[in-house]
Amino acid sequence: PTAPPRLASRSRVAAMRDGVLTIEVASSAQCYELEAFRARQLLGALQADPDAPGIRRLVFRVGNPPS
């Protein structure tokens, strides 16, 4: 499971620290959608991925992702 292409293309990893993956998104609406409806699914997929060890929590913030 991944974020829909319209969200994934307008987001980027901002930081990874102490098991917290911070993701920047383009708008507050996208931030809300990811937090409210997709965070649990995305976190589960990342935790199951052997190439992404140690992720305990996702944080979404409005920032300056690629456009």
Side-chain angles (χ1 to χ4, degrees):
T2 60
R6 68 181 171 73
L7 294 176
S9 67
R10 307 240 3 221
S11 62
R12 73 175 184 95
V13 171
M16 171 65 178
R17 184 174 182 182
D18 298 326
V20 178
L21 181 65
T22 302
I23 301 167
E24 286 188 346
V25 298
S27 72
S28 59
Q30 291 172 333
C31 190
Y32 175 76
E33 180 176 346
L34 286 166
E35 286 176 337
F37 304 111
R38 303 193 186 273
R40 184 176 294 158
Q41 177 185 21
L42 291 170
L43 181 59
L46 287 167
Q47 289 175 331
D49 185 342
D51 292 328
I55 298 174
R56 295 181 293 104
R57 187 164 65 104
L58 298 178
V59 173
F60 300 97
R61 70 180 185 201
V62 178
N64 192 21
S67 41

